[in-house]
Amino acid sequence: MIALNNAYRWRNVDHVLSLTYFFLISISIAFFLFSGPVSRNAFYILTYISVIHFLILVFKVDKKIHFYVFPTLFFLLGLSKLVWLSLTSSPDFPLVAYHYQISGKRMVLGAFVLYCIERNRTTWHFSFRAANLAGYLMFALLALIAITDTLQYLKTGVRIKINADAATSGAYMLVLFSMIAVYCLRRFAPHLYRPLCLLAIGLTLVTLLATETRSALVFYGIFVIFCLGHELFYGKKNHKRIFATAIVILGVCALLYGKSYYHPALDRLDGIQQEAELYMHGQNSTSLGARLSLWKSAWHSFGEHPFGQSVDSRNALATRYIQQHEAGNQEALNNVQYHMHNDLLDTLSLQGIFGALLMLAVFVALLVYPFVLFSGAGAFLLLSLPVVIFSQVDCQFYNRESPYFIMMVLGYLLLLRQVAPAPETVKSRVDSADKTTNAV
């Protein structure tokens, strides 16, 4: 009888614990681009719970540690940043050390969250209603972010940063957040998903135009084309004409009346070819030219110190290389003090070959491992593709904010695998959403 009572009590505790994880992760993701303090506090509360949970699992329940792929890799990547920081000093570039310290600490703490989620991924279960509410929350915050930042852009005409250190970082995280929000609406709001998804996509595009971030616009544009094309080809026939008509009307109105708004972003898109031609003719002080110069200088710095070096050493080598071989590219020199605009090359130039191998392992795991864990794991590509692609033109894992957001989205997608099926009245539409996910 005592054993039965203990088992019942543990099941209740486990149920409350699982809902706590789901609630805090949803809050952290939803508020990430709107209120940093709310998002970070939810993350830290969850990490403290997870550390205690981890200790109970290891010493009381399992009596051993499981080396799951995602928690292990993120723990090692975060630890490698902290170890590198302890072995080097950078008095001239404290900002890099600060970012490495914060991002490393958060990855180490986030690894405990992922460990507990993966340990319980077959036993925790969530109601369809909980996932439905989380989807609506993300949509509401997406709308709030879009309206707030768009009004700011209309008022000032200055590229918006969306609660980030730079316009590019904010745009990349907005793309990821929007893709997850659209997926949640498509999967868990079957009655209203068409108008809500269309509105979410429109709001995201308007906000991305205000960031004037070319790579984010191109990537998200491809995602939108895929979503709309899939819906028009595979959606219910009786809704296709209405849906297609709405898209055409909205598109025409946007083109006719929004030129003054989207013109700066289109000018930047048109400038890609021009910047490439200027770089080929030795005029490299442009956004594209700066990246190319930084990448070359990062590779040169790695060649001088293949097992790692301090920021002071790397930046001195990179500066010298840019001055001697890249015609003193001023735009590149202005950015040397921050990072190399490529996660692999930035890590390679600072932490050496071993740090870069860890980063590469994280990328491969994000792309491949979900398909080892689950059948039909296409939803995880909504995380892995933007993270891997954007990491080649910027540094997602240098920034102190982005790494924990990426880990929270990963944990959220793992939890969504345990959501109960939709009610029978909407089950057919949810099955259609699963097909969309698999197609991605």
Side-chain angles (χ1 to χ4, degrees), residues 376-411:
F380 287 86
L381 293 177
L382 299 175
L383 168 66
S384 58
L385 287 179
V387 169
V388 172
I389 291 173
F390 292 149
S391 288
Q392 307 316 304
V393 293
D394 209 329
C395 286
Q396 305 303 300
F397 291 89
Y398 158 87
N399 189 293
R400 66 185 187 276
E401 305 292 349
S402 302
Y404 90 81
F405 180 68
I406 292 168
M407 297 177 75
M408 290 298 96
V409 172
L410 176 58

Side-chain angles (χ1 to χ4, degrees), residues 14 26 31 36 49 59 74 115 152 218 254 261 270 325 427 431 440:
D14 200 48
S26 299
F31 281 87
I49 293 172
F59 294 103
F74 276 106
Y115 181 96
Q152 178 187 343
V218 171
Y261 180 86
D270 291 338
H325 302 281
K427 193 172 188 302
D431 289 340
V440 174

Side-chain angles (χ1 to χ4, degrees), residues 186 193-194 198 201 223-249 432 436:
R186 184 67 176 87
Y193 80 86
R194 278 192 178 92
L198 193 58
I201 287 171
F223 170 73
V224 170
I225 292 171
F226 171 83
C227 289
L228 298 181
H230 187 278
E231 186 61 30
L232 291 174
F233 277 104
Y234 298 104
K236 284 200 170 183
K237 293 182 179 179
N238 58 335
H239 294 142
K240 283 184 180 179
R241 291 181 180 177
I242 299 174
F243 190 62
T245 302
I247 294 171
V248 171
I249 292 174
S432 175
T436 301

Side-chain angles (χ1 to χ4, degrees), residues 1-15 61:
M1 189 65 178
I2 294 175
L4 288 174
N5 287 335
N6 288 337
Y8 178 75
R9 190 181 299 112
W10 173 250
R11 281 197 299 271
N12 285 339
V13 171
D14 200 48
H15 178 64
V61 181

Side-chain angles (χ1 to χ4, degrees), residues 351-365:
Q351 296 179 244
I353 186 67
F354 297 112
L357 286 175
L358 274 176
M359 182 66 69
L360 183 61
V362 169
F363 289 159
V364 173

